[in-house]
PDB file of all heavy atoms in Angstrom:
ATOM      1  N   ASP A   1     -37.652 146.769 -61.506  1.00  0.00           N
ATOM      2  CA  ASP A   1     -38.899 146.014 -61.554  1.00  0.00           C
ATOM      3  C   ASP A   1     -40.040 146.709 -60.822  1.00  0.00           C
ATOM      4  O   ASP A   1     -41.178 146.241 -60.836  1.00  0.00           O
ATOM      5  CB  ASP A   1     -38.706 144.617 -60.931  1.00  0.00           C
ATOM      6  CG  ASP A   1     -37.758 143.740 -61.762  1.00  0.00           C
ATOM      7  OD1 ASP A   1     -37.671 143.994 -62.994  1.00  0.00           O
ATOM      8  OD2 ASP A   1     -37.116 142.862 -61.196  1.00  0.00           O
ATOM      9  N   ALA A   2     -39.735 147.832 -60.180  1.00  0.00           N
ATOM     10  CA  ALA A   2     -40.771 148.593 -59.458  1.00  0.00           C
ATOM     11  C   ALA A   2     -41.081 149.876 -60.213  1.00  0.00           C
ATOM     12  O   ALA A   2     -40.259 150.382 -60.973  1.00  0.00           O
ATOM     13  CB  ALA A   2     -40.294 148.914 -58.048  1.00  0.00           C
ATOM     14  N   ALA A   3     -42.286 150.402 -59.967  1.00  0.00           N
ATOM     15  CA  ALA A   3     -42.678 151.681 -60.565  1.00  0.00           C
ATOM     16  C   ALA A   3     -42.584 152.763 -59.490  1.00  0.00           C
ATOM     17  O   ALA A   3     -43.311 152.708 -58.485  1.00  0.00           O
ATOM     18  CB  ALA A   3     -44.107 151.594 -61.090  1.00  0.00           C
ATOM     19  N   VAL A   4     -41.662 153.690 -59.658  1.00  0.00           N
ATOM     20  CA  VAL A   4     -41.502 154.808 -58.733  1.00  0.00           C
ATOM     21  C   VAL A   4     -41.886 156.076 -59.488  1.00  0.00           C
ATOM     22  O   VAL A   4     -41.240 156.448 -60.456  1.00  0.00           O
ATOM     23  CB  VAL A   4     -40.053 154.915 -58.208  1.00  0.00           C
ATOM     24  CG1 VAL A   4     -39.954 156.000 -57.145  1.00  0.00           C
ATOM     25  CG2 VAL A   4     -39.562 153.569 -57.664  1.00  0.00           C
ATOM     26  N   THR A   5     -42.966 156.718 -59.017  1.00  0.00           N
ATOM     27  CA  THR A   5     -43.550 157.819 -59.774  1.00  0.00           C
ATOM     28  C   THR A   5     -43.547 159.107 -58.975  1.00  0.00           C
ATOM     29  O   THR A   5     -44.056 159.139 -57.845  1.00  0.00           O
ATOM     30  CB  THR A   5     -45.013 157.477 -60.170  1.00  0.00           C
ATOM     31  OG1 THR A   5     -45.052 156.175 -60.746  1.00  0.00           O
ATOM     32  CG2 THR A   5     -45.558 158.498 -61.144  1.00  0.00           C
ATOM     33  N   PRO A   6     -42.967 160.180 -59.510  1.00  0.00           N
ATOM     34  CA  PRO A   6     -43.037 161.468 -58.802  1.00  0.00           C
ATOM     35  C   PRO A   6     -44.421 162.051 -58.894  1.00  0.00           C
ATOM     36  O   PRO A   6     -45.064 161.995 -59.954  1.00  0.00           O
ATOM     37  CB  PRO A   6     -42.018 162.327 -59.574  1.00  0.00           C
ATOM     38  CG  PRO A   6     -41.970 161.742 -60.948  1.00  0.00           C
ATOM     39  CD  PRO A   6     -42.224 160.279 -60.774  1.00  0.00           C
ATOM     40  N   ARG A   7     -44.891 162.612 -57.797  1.00  0.00           N
ATOM     41  CA  ARG A   7     -46.254 163.156 -57.749  1.00  0.00           C
ATOM     42  C   ARG A   7     -46.263 164.505 -57.029  1.00  0.00           C
ATOM     43  O   ARG A   7     -45.389 164.800 -56.211  1.00  0.00           O
ATOM     44  CB  ARG A   7     -47.186 162.207 -56.987  1.00  0.00           C
ATOM     45  CG  ARG A   7     -47.243 160.783 -57.539  1.00  0.00           C
ATOM     46  CD  ARG A   7     -48.017 160.682 -58.808  1.00  0.00           C
ATOM     47  NE  ARG A   7     -48.291 159.295 -59.154  1.00  0.00           N
ATOM     48  CZ  ARG A   7     -49.036 158.924 -60.207  1.00  0.00           C
ATOM     49  NH1 ARG A   7     -49.548 159.829 -61.000  1.00  0.00           N
ATOM     50  NH2 ARG A   7     -49.229 157.622 -60.438  1.00  0.00           N
ATOM     51  N   GLY A   8     -47.299 165.276 -57.292  1.00  0.00           N
ATOM     52  CA  GLY A   8     -47.521 166.531 -56.591  1.00  0.00           C
ATOM     53  C   GLY A   8     -48.571 166.354 -55.505  1.00  0.00           C
ATOM     54  O   GLY A   8     -49.349 165.398 -55.526  1.00  0.00           O
ATOM     55  N   LEU A   9     -48.604 167.277 -54.545  1.00  0.00           N
ATOM     56  CA  LEU A   9     -49.563 167.187 -53.439  1.00  0.00           C
ATOM     57  C   LEU A   9     -50.993 167.191 -53.921  1.00  0.00           C
ATOM     58  O   LEU A   9     -51.866 166.559 -53.303  1.00  0.00           O
ATOM     59  CB  LEU A   9     -49.341 168.355 -52.481  1.00  0.00           C
ATOM     60  CG  LEU A   9     -48.058 168.302 -51.623  1.00  0.00           C
ATOM     61  CD1 LEU A   9     -47.845 169.633 -50.925  1.00  0.00           C
ATOM     62  CD2 LEU A   9     -48.127 167.175 -50.620  1.00  0.00           C
ATOM     63  N   ASP A  10     -51.259 167.862 -55.034  1.00  0.00           N
ATOM     64  CA  ASP A  10     -52.635 167.934 -55.533  1.00  0.00           C
ATOM     65  C   ASP A  10     -53.145 166.593 -56.058  1.00  0.00           C
ATOM     66  O   ASP A  10     -54.355 166.437 -56.310  1.00  0.00           O
ATOM     67  CB  ASP A  10     -52.716 168.986 -56.637  1.00  0.00           C
ATOM     68  CG  ASP A  10     -51.813 168.683 -57.821  1.00  0.00           C
ATOM     69  OD1 ASP A  10     -50.781 168.018 -57.623  1.00  0.00           O
ATOM     70  OD2 ASP A  10     -52.118 169.143 -58.946  1.00  0.00           O
ATOM     71  N   GLU A  11     -52.261 165.619 -56.202  1.00  0.00           N
ATOM     72  CA  GLU A  11     -52.663 164.302 -56.705  1.00  0.00           C
ATOM     73  C   GLU A  11     -53.078 163.329 -55.604  1.00  0.00           C
ATOM     74  O   GLU A  11     -53.550 162.227 -55.882  1.00  0.00           O
ATOM     75  CB  GLU A  11     -51.515 163.677 -57.522  1.00  0.00           C
ATOM     76  CG  GLU A  11     -51.141 164.481 -58.770  1.00  0.00           C
ATOM     77  CD  GLU A  11     -49.996 163.858 -59.532  1.00  0.00           C
ATOM     78  OE1 GLU A  11     -50.246 162.846 -60.220  1.00  0.00           O
ATOM     79  OE2 GLU A  11     -48.866 164.360 -59.443  1.00  0.00           O
ATOM     80  N   LEU A  12     -52.912 163.737 -54.328  1.00  0.00           N
ATOM     81  CA  LEU A  12     -53.219 162.826 -53.220  1.00  0.00           C
ATOM     82  C   LEU A  12     -54.651 162.285 -53.248  1.00  0.00           C
ATOM     83  O   LEU A  12     -54.862 161.090 -52.967  1.00  0.00           O
ATOM     84  CB  LEU A  12     -52.935 163.518 -51.885  1.00  0.00           C
ATOM     85  CG  LEU A  12     -51.465 163.576 -51.479  1.00  0.00           C
ATOM     86  CD1 LEU A  12     -51.288 164.459 -50.236  1.00  0.00           C
ATOM     87  CD2 LEU A  12     -50.921 162.168 -51.200  1.00  0.00           C
ATOM     88  N   PRO A  13     -55.673 163.102 -53.565  1.00  0.00           N
ATOM     89  CA  PRO A  13     -57.033 162.549 -53.596  1.00  0.00           C
ATOM     90  C   PRO A  13     -57.205 161.402 -54.589  1.00  0.00           C
ATOM     91  O   PRO A  13     -58.060 160.520 -54.378  1.00  0.00           O
ATOM     92  CB  PRO A  13     -57.886 163.753 -53.995  1.00  0.00           C
ATOM     93  CG  PRO A  13     -57.108 164.949 -53.537  1.00  0.00           C
ATOM     94  CD  PRO A  13     -55.683 164.557 -53.776  1.00  0.00           C
ATOM     95  N   GLU A  14     -56.409 161.368 -55.644  1.00  0.00           N
ATOM     96  CA  GLU A  14     -56.504 160.267 -56.605  1.00  0.00           C
ATOM     97  C   GLU A  14     -55.617 159.092 -56.205  1.00  0.00           C
ATOM     98  O   GLU A  14     -55.895 157.937 -56.559  1.00  0.00           O
ATOM     99  CB  GLU A  14     -56.062 160.756 -58.006  1.00  0.00           C
ATOM    100  CG  GLU A  14     -57.036 161.706 -58.692  1.00  0.00           C
ATOM    101  CD  GLU A  14     -56.989 163.103 -58.132  1.00  0.00           C
ATOM    102  OE1 GLU A  14     -55.868 163.626 -57.915  1.00  0.00           O
ATOM    103  OE2 GLU A  14     -58.062 163.686 -57.858  1.00  0.00           O
ATOM    104  N   LEU A  15     -54.552 159.370 -55.444  1.00  0.00           N
ATOM    105  CA  LEU A  15     -53.590 158.329 -55.098  1.00  0.00           C
ATOM    106  C   LEU A  15     -54.013 157.476 -53.905  1.00  0.00           C
ATOM    107  O   LEU A  15     -53.820 156.250 -53.908  1.00  0.00           O
ATOM    108  CB  LEU A  15     -52.233 158.951 -54.809  1.00  0.00           C
ATOM    109  CG  LEU A  15     -51.532 159.687 -55.965  1.00  0.00           C
ATOM    110  CD1 LEU A  15     -50.259 160.357 -55.483  1.00  0.00           C
ATOM    111  CD2 LEU A  15     -51.248 158.728 -57.111  1.00  0.00           C
ATOM    112  N   MET A  16     -54.561 158.126 -52.874  1.00  0.00           N
ATOM    113  CA  MET A  16     -54.848 157.392 -51.637  1.00  0.00           C
ATOM    114  C   MET A  16     -55.847 156.239 -51.808  1.00  0.00           C
ATOM    115  O   MET A  16     -55.671 155.186 -51.180  1.00  0.00           O
ATOM    116  CB  MET A  16     -55.290 158.354 -50.545  1.00  0.00           C
ATOM    117  CG  MET A  16     -54.168 159.249 -49.998  1.00  0.00           C
ATOM    118  SD  MET A  16     -52.682 158.344 -49.510  1.00  0.00           S
ATOM    119  CE  MET A  16     -53.332 157.253 -48.241  1.00  0.00           C
ATOM    120  N   PRO A  17     -56.888 156.370 -52.649  1.00  0.00           N
ATOM    121  CA  PRO A  17     -57.776 155.225 -52.811  1.00  0.00           C
ATOM    122  C   PRO A  17     -57.110 154.008 -53.421  1.00  0.00           C
ATOM    123  O   PRO A  17     -57.605 152.882 -53.272  1.00  0.00           O
ATOM    124  CB  PRO A  17     -58.870 155.778 -53.754  1.00  0.00           C
ATOM    125  CG  PRO A  17     -58.848 157.250 -53.537  1.00  0.00           C
ATOM    126  CD  PRO A  17     -57.404 157.567 -53.315  1.00  0.00           C
ATOM    127  N   LEU A  18     -55.946 154.208 -54.075  1.00  0.00           N
ATOM    128  CA  LEU A  18     -55.237 153.096 -54.690  1.00  0.00           C
ATOM    129  C   LEU A  18     -54.187 152.490 -53.766  1.00  0.00           C
ATOM    130  O   LEU A  18     -53.667 151.404 -54.025  1.00  0.00           O
ATOM    131  CB  LEU A  18     -54.544 153.580 -55.985  1.00  0.00           C
ATOM    132  CG  LEU A  18     -55.431 154.248 -57.026  1.00  0.00           C
ATOM    133  CD1 LEU A  18     -54.557 154.819 -58.149  1.00  0.00           C
ATOM    134  CD2 LEU A  18     -56.455 153.257 -57.580  1.00  0.00           C
ATOM    135  N   ALA A  19     -53.856 153.207 -52.699  1.00  0.00           N
ATOM    136  CA  ALA A  19     -52.708 152.838 -51.867  1.00  0.00           C
ATOM    137  C   ALA A  19     -53.060 151.843 -50.773  1.00  0.00           C
ATOM    138  O   ALA A  19     -54.182 151.843 -50.265  1.00  0.00           O
ATOM    139  CB  ALA A  19     -52.110 154.107 -51.241  1.00  0.00           C
ATOM    140  N   ASP A  20     -52.050 151.029 -50.402  1.00  0.00           N
ATOM    141  CA  ASP A  20     -52.177 150.166 -49.233  1.00  0.00           C
ATOM    142  C   ASP A  20     -51.808 150.921 -47.972  1.00  0.00           C
ATOM    143  O   ASP A  20     -52.379 150.667 -46.891  1.00  0.00           O
ATOM    144  CB  ASP A  20     -51.230 148.964 -49.378  1.00  0.00           C
ATOM    145  CG  ASP A  20     -51.557 148.115 -50.574  1.00  0.00           C
ATOM    146  OD1 ASP A  20     -52.741 147.788 -50.775  1.00  0.00           O
ATOM    147  OD2 ASP A  20     -50.628 147.803 -51.353  1.00  0.00           O
ATOM    148  N   GLY A  21     -50.851 151.842 -48.084  1.00  0.00           N
ATOM    149  CA  GLY A  21     -50.398 152.572 -46.892  1.00  0.00           C
ATOM    150  C   GLY A  21     -49.743 153.886 -47.240  1.00  0.00           C
ATOM    151  O   GLY A  21     -49.513 154.204 -48.415  1.00  0.00           O
ATOM    152  N   LEU A  22     -49.454 154.648 -46.206  1.00  0.00           N
ATOM    153  CA  LEU A  22     -48.876 155.981 -46.327  1.00  0.00           C
ATOM    154  C   LEU A  22     -47.672 156.091 -45.411  1.00  0.00           C
ATOM    155  O   LEU A  22     -47.722 155.700 -44.250  1.00  0.00           O
ATOM    156  CB  LEU A  22     -49.916 157.028 -45.927  1.00  0.00           C
ATOM    157  CG  LEU A  22     -49.416 158.482 -45.814  1.00  0.00           C
ATOM    158  CD1 LEU A  22     -49.308 159.118 -47.197  1.00  0.00           C
ATOM    159  CD2 LEU A  22     -50.362 159.295 -44.929  1.00  0.00           C
ATOM    160  N   VAL A  23     -46.578 156.650 -45.943  1.00  0.00           N
ATOM    161  CA  VAL A  23     -45.394 156.943 -45.120  1.00  0.00           C
ATOM    162  C   VAL A  23     -45.162 158.438 -45.163  1.00  0.00           C
ATOM    163  O   VAL A  23     -45.143 159.028 -46.250  1.00  0.00           O
ATOM    164  CB  VAL A  23     -44.144 156.195 -45.613  1.00  0.00           C
ATOM    165  CG1 VAL A  23     -42.968 156.478 -44.684  1.00  0.00           C
ATOM    166  CG2 VAL A  23     -44.397 154.718 -45.692  1.00  0.00           C
ATOM    167  N   HIS A  24     -44.970 159.032 -43.991  1.00  0.00           N
ATOM    168  CA  HIS A  24     -44.765 160.475 -43.898  1.00  0.00           C
ATOM    169  C   HIS A  24     -43.316 160.797 -43.559  1.00  0.00           C
ATOM    170  O   HIS A  24     -42.808 160.373 -42.522  1.00  0.00           O
ATOM    171  CB  HIS A  24     -45.693 161.083 -42.849  1.00  0.00           C
ATOM    172  CG  HIS A  24     -45.408 162.530 -42.597  1.00  0.00           C
ATOM    173  ND1 HIS A  24     -45.116 163.049 -41.354  1.00  0.00           N
ATOM    174  CD2 HIS A  24     -45.335 163.579 -43.475  1.00  0.00           C
ATOM    175  CE1 HIS A  24     -44.887 164.352 -41.449  1.00  0.00           C
ATOM    176  NE2 HIS A  24     -45.010 164.691 -42.727  1.00  0.00           N
ATOM    177  N   CYS A  25     -42.648 161.572 -44.453  1.00  0.00           N
ATOM    178  CA  CYS A  25     -41.222 161.896 -44.296  1.00  0.00           C
ATOM    179  C   CYS A  25     -40.953 163.388 -44.469  1.00  0.00           C
ATOM    180  O   CYS A  25     -39.955 163.764 -45.077  1.00  0.00           O
ATOM    181  CB  CYS A  25     -40.395 161.109 -45.301  1.00  0.00           C
ATOM    182  SG  CYS A  25     -40.588 159.338 -45.254  1.00  0.00           S
ATOM    183  N   THR A  26     -41.833 164.240 -43.953  1.00  0.00           N
ATOM    184  CA  THR A  26     -41.591 165.690 -44.003  1.00  0.00           C
ATOM    185  C   THR A  26     -41.515 166.195 -42.559  1.00  0.00           C
ATOM    186  O   THR A  26     -41.857 165.457 -41.624  1.00  0.00           O
ATOM    187  CB  THR A  26     -42.702 166.445 -44.755  1.00  0.00           C
ATOM    188  OG1 THR A  26     -43.790 166.734 -43.856  1.00  0.00           O
ATOM    189  CG2 THR A  26     -43.221 165.654 -45.941  1.00  0.00           C
ATOM    190  N   PRO A  27     -41.117 167.458 -42.334  1.00  0.00           N
ATOM    191  CA  PRO A  27     -41.053 167.996 -40.961  1.00  0.00           C
ATOM    192  C   PRO A  27     -42.421 168.281 -40.349  1.00  0.00           C
ATOM    193  O   PRO A  27     -42.486 168.587 -39.145  1.00  0.00           O
ATOM    194  CB  PRO A  27     -40.265 169.300 -41.132  1.00  0.00           C
ATOM    195  CG  PRO A  27     -39.589 169.198 -42.460  1.00  0.00           C
ATOM    196  CD  PRO A  27     -40.501 168.382 -43.313  1.00  0.00           C
ATOM    197  N   VAL A  28     -43.496 168.241 -41.124  1.00  0.00           N
ATOM    198  CA  VAL A  28     -44.816 168.571 -40.580  1.00  0.00           C
ATOM    199  C   VAL A  28     -45.169 167.595 -39.456  1.00  0.00           C
ATOM    200  O   VAL A  28     -45.046 166.381 -39.603  1.00  0.00           O
ATOM    201  CB  VAL A  28     -45.896 168.525 -41.671  1.00  0.00           C
ATOM    202  CG1 VAL A  28     -47.280 168.816 -41.057  1.00  0.00           C
ATOM    203  CG2 VAL A  28     -45.598 169.534 -42.765  1.00  0.00           C
ATOM    204  N   GLY A  29     -45.582 168.153 -38.312  1.00  0.00           N
ATOM    205  CA  GLY A  29     -45.893 167.330 -37.162  1.00  0.00           C
ATOM    206  C   GLY A  29     -44.863 167.416 -36.076  1.00  0.00           C
ATOM    207  O   GLY A  29     -45.120 167.040 -34.927  1.00  0.00           O
ATOM    208  N   MET A  30     -43.644 167.920 -36.413  1.00  0.00           N
ATOM    209  CA  MET A  30     -42.656 168.175 -35.377  1.00  0.00           C
ATOM    210  C   MET A  30     -43.157 169.272 -34.449  1.00  0.00           C
ATOM    211  O   MET A  30     -44.047 170.045 -34.810  1.00  0.00           O
ATOM    212  CB  MET A  30     -41.327 168.604 -36.011  1.00  0.00           C
ATOM    213  CG  MET A  30     -40.586 167.539 -36.764  1.00  0.00           C
ATOM    214  SD  MET A  30     -39.032 168.207 -37.439  1.00  0.00           S
ATOM    215  CE  MET A  30     -38.362 166.752 -38.226  1.00  0.00           C
ATOM    216  N   ALA A  31     -42.572 169.326 -33.273  1.00  0.00           N
ATOM    217  CA  ALA A  31     -42.980 170.337 -32.293  1.00  0.00           C
ATOM    218  C   ALA A  31     -42.941 171.736 -32.872  1.00  0.00           C
ATOM    219  O   ALA A  31     -43.815 172.571 -32.607  1.00  0.00           O
ATOM    220  CB  ALA A  31     -42.094 170.237 -31.040  1.00  0.00           C
ATOM    221  N   ALA A  32     -41.937 171.997 -33.706  1.00  0.00           N
ATOM    222  CA  ALA A  32     -41.802 173.337 -34.301  1.00  0.00           C
ATOM    223  C   ALA A  32     -42.639 173.520 -35.563  1.00  0.00           C
ATOM    224  O   ALA A  32     -42.769 174.631 -36.064  1.00  0.00           O
ATOM    225  CB  ALA A  32     -40.332 173.604 -34.645  1.00  0.00           C
ATOM    226  N   HIS A  33     -43.194 172.415 -36.054  1.00  0.00           N
ATOM    227  CA  HIS A  33     -44.020 172.486 -37.277  1.00  0.00           C
ATOM    228  C   HIS A  33     -45.297 171.669 -37.087  1.00  0.00           C
ATOM    229  O   HIS A  33     -45.520 170.673 -37.785  1.00  0.00           O
ATOM    230  CB  HIS A  33     -43.243 171.935 -38.482  1.00  0.00           C
ATOM    231  CG  HIS A  33     -41.937 172.617 -38.731  1.00  0.00           C
ATOM    232  ND1 HIS A  33     -41.841 173.827 -39.387  1.00  0.00           N
ATOM    233  CD2 HIS A  33     -40.677 172.281 -38.403  1.00  0.00           C
ATOM    234  CE1 HIS A  33     -40.579 174.181 -39.455  1.00  0.00           C
ATOM    235  NE2 HIS A  33     -39.846 173.268 -38.863  1.00  0.00           N
ATOM    236  N   PRO A  34     -46.152 172.040 -36.129  1.00  0.00           N
ATOM    237  CA  PRO A  34     -47.337 171.225 -35.835  1.00  0.00           C
ATOM    238  C   PRO A  34     -48.340 171.215 -36.993  1.00  0.00           C
ATOM    239  O   PRO A  34     -48.318 172.099 -37.862  1.00  0.00           O
ATOM    240  CB  PRO A  34     -47.926 171.937 -34.610  1.00  0.00           C
ATOM    241  CG  PRO A  34     -47.453 173.343 -34.718  1.00  0.00           C
ATOM    242  CD  PRO A  34     -46.089 173.258 -35.297  1.00  0.00           C
TER     243      PRO A  34
END
């Protein structure tokens, strides 16, 4: 009943204006990957 859509990083400018929120699940931001 949900729509789960694969996207590329280049699509973020079009996606964020439609979104309620953002969840970050990559290593970027870790001490070793600031």
Side-chain angles (χ1 to χ4, degrees):
D1 294 333
V4 186
T5 311
R7 304 286 192 176
L9 289 169
D10 60 334
E11 297 179 76
L12 282 172
E14 289 76 45
L15 297 175
M16 289 309 300
L18 305 173
D20 299 312
L22 172 79
V23 183
H24 173 236
C25 304
T26 85
V28 178
M30 291 181 178
H33 304 280

